[in-house]
Amino acid sequence: QGWSSLLLTIFLFSMLAMEPILHCLENNDGYLFTEHCKQGEAMLFPYSVMSTAAMLLYFLLLSDLSVFSTRVSAFALICTRVVSEVALFLFGLTFFVCAFACAVSALEQDDPDFAGIPTSALQLYKISLGMFSGTHYDMLMDYPALMTAIFVYVVTTVIFMLNLLIAQLNCSYQATYQDMVGFARLNRGKIVTETMPSVSKKRWERFSGALRLDERVEFGEGDIGLSGGIQVWEPASANITTVDMIRRFGGSTSPAAQFPEEDTGGDDEEDRFDRMEKLIEKAMKRMTSSSKGGKKGNAGGSSMGQSSSDQAGGESGSAHESGNE
């Protein structure tokens, strides 16, 4: 974001220096704030280029507002993480374009679309982006060697490298998706930390006073807790808790008075009920596992009994036949 702000400042100063209205102040032909003069019209095109770049940088800086939504911030973070994969693809594509442009230029052919290295490189980029028209493909039929070279280029870039880019983006997205919410929150914290020095003391005191951190919050209705926190309501079914995690002791809350020692003997009713509950759960698990094992044993025993009876029947039949003989 720092580099974007610096570039935006440079572009704005350049736009001010190239402003056509300022160049037409002396030769305005009687029209105030006009840009249609000889000096102003000469600056129209470079001024429009600078304004285009400035608008893109404005919207790039506007992406900081995505921190207000964790979901949008996580998506923007994923986009920035996979940009490196796209840059690698463009680098590899440029390498193959230069290689095949030089190879095609060295080939003996008279196709005007591939006359020279710059023209061939431009046509190869069009082929990769799907901008090469069908009529130009028909012209390649007159040059079999050139057609073969273009076929190899299409297989290498459009089929192989493009599918490789899809696989890389998929892997990078899966690796980032697992931690994208955490990264989004870290990004929000980073922006908040960078913004804090620009906040005035009076505004910060008014904000911290509105939080009422000095008031004690409630753990539940009538259950007053500690100060320095912000109470957030949630549905009762969101986090079901059957055991009270807050240890309470009767007596004075003075720091000079020590807490009473906990009874670690485990003789209170709560501990006894917890032990009984755990014993019942273990017994139920044993009964369930034993019942499943018994069913499997009975099924195995019946099949074994049936096979043994079949085998005994077969043996008696063979013995009967031998006796008849």
Side-chain angles (χ1 to χ4, degrees):
Q1 298 295 332
W3 284 102
S4 300
S5 302
L6 178 60
L7 290 176
L8 180 60
T9 305
I10 294 174
F11 284 136
L12 291 178
F13 275 110
S14 301
M15 289 172 61
L16 179 61
M18 297 179 182
E19 178 61 48
I21 296 178
L22 296 180
H23 288 80
C24 293
L25 288 177
E26 296 180 356
N27 301 321
N28 53 14
D29 296 332
Y31 295 98
L32 187 62
F33 302 125
T34 182
E35 58 186 17
H36 297 288
C37 65
K38 185 176 180 180
Q39 295 83 0
E41 291 180 353
M43 292 291 176
L44 283 177
F45 179 74
Y47 179 81
S48 64
V49 173
M50 293 294 175
S51 61
T52 301
M55 289 301 299
L56 292 176
L57 289 173
Y58 265 124
F59 279 91
L60 181 61
L61 293 174
L62 194 63
S63 63
D64 280 342
L65 297 179
S66 62
V67 298
F68 290 103
S69 173
T70 306
R71 189 180 182 89
V72 178
S73 179
F75 175 75
L77 185 62
I78 289 177
C79 292
T80 56
R81 289 298 182 92
V82 300
V83 165
S84 60
E85 306 296 337
V86 179
L88 288 175
F89 168 75
L90 294 177
F91 176 77
L93 179 64
T94 303
F95 174 79
F96 280 106
V97 165
C98 294
F100 278 89
C102 295
V104 167
S105 299
L107 188 64
E108 182 64 28
Q109 46 87 18
D110 297 328
D111 194 332
D113 291 334
F114 297 92
I117 295 177
T119 307
S120 300
L122 178 61
Q123 301 304 323
L124 291 175
Y125 273 120
K126 288 184 178 180
I127 291 173
S128 301
L129 299 176
M131 301 171 61
F132 200 68
S133 62
T135 57
H136 292 272
Y137 277 113
D138 294 336
M139 295 174 61
L140 294 176
M141 301 300 295
D142 298 333
Y143 308 98
L146 179 60
M147 185 67 182
T148 303
I150 298 301
F151 175 77
V152 174
Y153 171 79
V154 170
V155 172
T156 305
T157 57
V158 179
I159 297 178
F160 174 71
M161 291 195 61
L162 190 58
N163 285 279
L164 181 61
L165 173 64
I166 295 173
Q168 287 179 329
L169 292 178
N170 189 18
C171 294
S172 180
Y173 178 82
Q174 289 180 354
T176 311
Y177 178 79
Q178 298 176 357
D179 302 323
M180 67 176 184
V181 177
F183 285 138
R185 290 172 178 171
L186 288 175
N187 189 28
R188 176 186 294 182
K190 177 185 175 183
I191 294 177
V192 171
T193 305
E194 293 176 352
T195 311
M196 283 301 299
S198 61
V199 179
S200 62
K201 183 179 180 181
K202 182 178 180 181
R203 186 174 182 181
W204 171 252
E205 290 178 350
R206 185 169 66 252
F207 170 74
S208 59
L211 295 179
R212 295 182 294 181
L213 296 176
D214 54 342
E215 298 182 5
R216 301 171 67 181
V217 297
E218 292 183 344
F219 293 126
E221 187 176 357
D223 188 4
I224 304 299
L226 303 175
S227 61
I230 299 176
Q231 189 176 28
V232 179
W233 294 93
E234 64 179 11
S237 59
N239 296 285
I240 300 176
T241 304
T242 57
V243 179
D244 193 359
M245 302 301 294
I246 303 174
R247 306 289 297 185
R248 292 177 172 84
F249 300 94
S252 175
T253 58
S254 173
Q258 298 182 357
F259 283 169
E261 296 183 359
E262 298 186 31
D263 187 7
T264 58
D267 296 331
D268 55 346
E269 293 185 1
E270 293 184 1
D271 292 340
R272 288 199 296 270
F273 278 119
D274 289 341
R275 289 199 299 271
M276 290 176 60
E277 186 179 359
K278 290 179 181 180
L279 289 174
I280 293 173
E281 290 179 358
K282 290 181 180 179
M284 292 296 294
K285 289 181 180 179
R286 290 197 192 98
M287 293 172 61
T288 305
S289 59
S290 62
S291 62
K292 290 182 179 179
K295 291 180 180 180
K296 292 181 179 179
N298 293 333
S302 61
S303 61
M304 290 176 62
Q306 184 178 359
S307 61
S308 62
S309 63
D310 293 341
Q311 185 177 1
E315 290 177 354
S316 62
S318 60
H320 180 68
E321 290 175 0
S322 62
N324 291 335
E325 293 176 355

